[in-house]
Amino acid sequence: MATLHELVLPRPDDFHVHFREGTVLADVVRHTVLQFGRALVMPNLKDPVTTASKAIVYRQAIREVLPEGSDFTPLMTLYLTDTTTPEDIAEAKKAGVVAVKWYPAGATTLSDHGVSDWRQMDAVCEALAAEEMLLLIHGEVTDPQIDIFERETRFVRDILVALRQRHPNLRMVLEHITTKDSVDFIHEYGHQNLGATITAQHLLNNRNHMLVGGIKPHFYCLPILKTETDRCALLEAATSGDSRFFLGTDSAPHAQSAKENACGCAGCFTGYAALELYATAFESVGKLDKLANFAARFGADYYGLPYNKGEVVLKRESWALPETLPFGATLIRPYHTVSGQLNWKCFQA
Ligand code: NCD
Ligand code: ZN
């Protein structure tokens, strides 16, 4: 088959991104804006986005750093806490918030204000279903007895199954799935109200990349990279054409010093080359033709949003990934492929 040199995609959406705040905001947002028409912005700020008014303030801050004339749309989320009420949900809906993020308390970066007991979430879940908003799930148990590599599977089998039964009409997204078990669960469950985002790093890497031959902190994110069997199952799901699997980078920048540290932070910064990374993964299994739907249609369909106007172009072009990128007064070391190279480059059409 002739080598493909150019791939034109409908302008895609990133359904899971961390933009951060303050002096680094502009340095983070500018990358996503170059590739995506919209992005679903995670609410785990230092002071989390727990109310409609905080979401409005945060959305305005994002809009203020957009390049002149940009039509990029930040889609806002609310951070669920033990004290979130159905009234908070109704107000969020009025403010244009599209989804609520459930972090089990302590599961990941900036999740301390998250939900301590999911059994107390019924009223909020009912309000979400009534408002036709989505529940986004960081699917890991937090019990210190449970091995970090088992936390997602235990969550899916012990908690998600029960929550699904309690709220069959609630549209949920299991965010950044990392295991074959999660893929199997979504297939088994066979429900149009359970979708999943998949990151580029989980399609490209397994835990050996992070741990063999020296510890590589820039591959460390949560949920943590799993086995090669898991990676292959994720790649199969992402490229299968099943519309319940769609793009969410979970691009999560941290200053270089916070990751290259005795206690390094979780999160990979992939937003600067998101589409190129996904294209690399899809091409590795000969499925580049499946990228357009995964990146630009399935997520929008799941959220009930119209498709973006316009296109982006991926050109076959080798480039060496940057060692660092500006991050306010500091630097980020972006996520790298194992080779430190990419063979695709994204351009605005
Ligand atoms: C995210 C972050 O840094 O905000 N980190 C990560 O490893 N994915 C939080 C999250 O999405 O879990
Ligand atoms: Zn995330």
Side-chain angles (χ1 to χ4, degrees):
M1 216 165 62
T3 308
L4 188 70
H5 288 285
E6 194 172 290
L7 182 66
V8 180
L9 295 175
R11 200 171 170 209
D13 295 309
D14 182 350
F15 276 103
H16 185 133
V17 74
H18 298 268
F19 276 164
R20 310 304 189 204
E21 62 196 307
T23 55
V24 305
L25 185 62
D27 285 333
V28 181
V29 170
R30 71 188 172 93
H31 298 283
T32 297
V33 171
L34 288 174
Q35 305 206 338
F36 296 96
R38 294 173 294 216
L40 191 73
V41 184
M42 290 299 123
N44 62 331
L45 304 184
K46 287 198 187 81
D47 175 19
V49 182
T50 50
T51 61
S53 52
K54 285 182 178 176
I56 291 169
V57 170
Y58 189 30
R59 181 170 57 201
Q60 188 52 32
I62 295 165
R63 285 180 178 153
E64 277 165 20
V65 300
L66 293 178
E68 194 73 19
S70 169
D71 63 350
F72 176 85
T73 305
L75 300 168
M76 306 312 288
T77 61
L78 213 65
Y79 185 113
L80 201 57
T81 71
D82 286 339
T83 56
T84 307
T85 62
E87 292 70 41
D88 294 328
I89 302 300
E91 272 178 39
K93 172 77 180 190
K94 277 197 217 113
V97 170
V98 298
V100 164
K101 181 72 186 282
W102 167 26
Y103 294 98
T108 186
T109 309
L110 295 169
S111 65
D112 296 348
H113 302 275
V115 175
S116 52
D117 183 359
W118 64 274
R119 292 172 204 83
Q120 307 299 318
M121 283 168 36
D122 283 344
V124 162
C125 287
E126 279 157 27
L128 286 171
E131 297 285 356
E132 297 188 343
M133 291 168 75
L134 288 84
L135 179 68
L136 315 180
I137 304 171
H138 184 107
E140 288 191 287
V141 295
T142 54
D143 179 346
Q145 303 296 320
I146 312 265
D147 188 90
I148 187 169
F149 292 102
E150 297 299 323
R151 288 178 173 205
E152 183 171 311
T153 291
R154 289 293 293 271
F155 179 92
V156 167
R157 298 287 159 182
D158 297 350
I159 301 179
L160 190 57
V161 173
L163 191 75
R164 276 260 48 121
Q165 280 165 357
R166 280 156 100 119
H167 302 286
N169 298 324
L170 176 56
R171 197 146 257 241
M172 300 181 185
V173 183
L174 189 54
E175 296 293 334
H176 40 52
I177 56 170
T178 66
T179 66
K180 178 175 184 305
D181 202 58
S182 291
V183 171
D184 291 345
F185 179 74
I186 287 170
H187 285 143
E188 258 170 53
Y189 191 76
H191 199 299
Q192 286 312 312
N193 278 345
L194 183 64
T197 52
I198 306 182
T199 78
Q201 71 265 21
H202 291 102
L203 295 177
L204 289 166
N205 301 118
N206 62 41
R207 62 198 193 188
N208 278 14
H209 293 124
M210 179 176 56
L211 295 171
V212 173
I215 189 161
K216 322 276 189 329
H218 299 286
F219 283 135
Y220 176 59
C221 65
L222 289 170
I224 198 162
L225 293 173
K226 304 293 192 311
T227 66
E228 181 62 4
T229 306
D230 293 305
R231 186 187 76 82
C232 292
L234 294 168
L235 195 50
E236 165 71 33
T239 60
S240 66
D242 183 329
S243 62
R244 288 169 300 178
F245 299 101
F246 51 89
L247 189 155
T249 60
D250 192 23
S251 179
H254 294 276
Q256 184 170 18
S257 57
K259 285 197 66 73
E260 297 172 9
N261 188 297
C263 183
C265 293
C268 298
F269 181 59
T270 52
Y272 76 109
L275 283 181
E276 293 93 330
L277 292 166
Y278 281 106
T280 303
F282 276 55
E283 185 168 42
S284 73
V285 287
K287 295 277 179 66
L288 269 178
D289 58 318
K290 302 289 187 189
L291 185 58
N293 280 343
F294 176 81
R297 299 196 185 99
F298 292 162
D301 289 343
Y302 197 78
Y303 276 79
L305 295 168
Y307 299 147
N308 292 313
K309 295 199 179 67
E311 291 169 332
V312 291
V313 184
L314 284 165
K315 293 190 177 163
R316 190 175 295 282
E317 186 178 310
S318 289
W319 54 295
L321 303 178
E323 292 299 320
T324 57
L325 289 167
F327 190 55
T330 62
L331 295 170
I332 333 179
R333 158 95 183 178
Y335 165 93
H336 272 200
T337 54
V338 172
S339 69
Q341 293 257 330
L342 275 169
N343 296 323
W344 290 100
K345 187 95 188 91
C346 179
F347 298 89
Q348 283 174 312

